[in-house]
Amino acid sequence: IDKKIKDKKRTVIYRSLVSMEDFENTGPSDPDVFKHNPDQLIINYSGTLGSGYDIAGLVSVIERIKASEYSGKVKLYVSGKGPHEDFVRRKALDVGSDHMEDKGVLPESQLLDLYKLTDLACLPYMPDSPIAFPAKAFDYIVAGTPIIHSIDGELRSLSQDKECGIYYKAGDHESLYLAIIGLLNNQSELLQKMTNNMAKISHEFT
């Protein structure tokens, strides 16, 4: 899908790597690839494992949740490649597969599987990022998946105006932690509301 996003300086056309047809018409390619507790909140980071993304901050929040009374209620899947691959691999082993898994580079069929089981997609950009609306967001929009993110731009406006995601200040790991815990405490209502709203938006973008 293509979508035009306008800001004060330019109009940019983004293309999603996932089509609505592919997402709706494909079943699980291998149910054993993503093993998890069905009662867990599934968070997904898929993309570049590079310096522009606060992967370490996201993992630190998962570690904090593991050490809290909410242990076992959240699982993070990370997929992609980049300079921080070794860090993600080590952390996944340290944290344990009940709380975090490094899936490496996934084939498209398995990436679609991951999108389907994801409750909350995460786009943890570093402070001072110039990005206003990342292309990856369109994959999650097509999938109808709420996004928790640190992008203070067009995506923040969409998240707040349409109530389909959560913005947190870049680098503020406490804010990210509290946002996730807030979903756990009110998961059945708030998360479902955001999911329903994102599903409506997905049809507007296609």
Side-chain angles (χ1 to χ4, degrees), residues 116-166:
K116 287 179 180 180
L117 68 87
T118 296
D119 295 309
L120 191 67
C122 189
L123 295 174
Y125 279 75
M126 295 293 285
D128 301 322
S129 171
I131 303 297
F133 205 114
K136 175 61 68 174
F138 286 99
D139 287 350
Y140 299 132
I141 290 172
V142 170
T145 303
I147 305 171
I148 186 167
H149 65 91
S150 58
I151 304 164
D152 191 4
E154 297 289 341
L155 186 56
R156 179 181 182 181
S157 297
L158 179 71
S159 299
Q160 294 177 338
D161 294 345
K162 300 294 186 178
E163 297 183 284
C164 61
I166 300 172

Side-chain angles (χ1 to χ4, degrees), residues 33-93:
V33 172
F34 302 104
K35 295 182 178 180
H36 65 285
N37 183 331
D39 294 327
Q40 286 180 306
L41 176 72
I42 302 300
I43 300 176
N44 169 31
Y45 173 85
S46 295
T48 303
L49 304 178
S51 59
Y53 306 89
D54 190 10
I55 307 299
L58 174 58
V59 172
S60 73
V61 167
I62 298 301
E63 290 178 312
R64 182 177 174 186
I65 292 173
K66 177 184 177 181
S68 75
E69 63 184 291
Y70 300 97
S71 180
K73 295 187 177 182
V74 176
K75 182 167 184 176
L76 170 66
Y77 284 103
V78 180
S79 65
K81 62 181 180 179
H84 293 169
E85 287 178 47
D86 288 342
F87 168 81
V88 171
R89 190 175 300 112
R90 290 196 309 271
K91 280 297 185 180
L93 291 173

Side-chain angles (χ1 to χ4, degrees), residues 82-122:
H84 293 169
E85 287 178 47
D86 288 342
F87 168 81
V88 171
R89 190 175 300 112
R90 290 196 309 271
K91 280 297 185 180
L93 291 173
D94 290 344
V95 175
S97 60
D98 288 341
H99 302 273
M100 176 181 174
E101 282 194 47
D102 168 31
K103 305 306 291 186
V105 178
L106 291 170
E108 183 177 348
S109 60
Q110 291 181 1
L111 190 61
L112 287 173
D113 290 345
L114 178 55
Y115 286 171
K116 287 179 180 180
L117 68 87
T118 296
D119 295 309
L120 191 67
C122 189

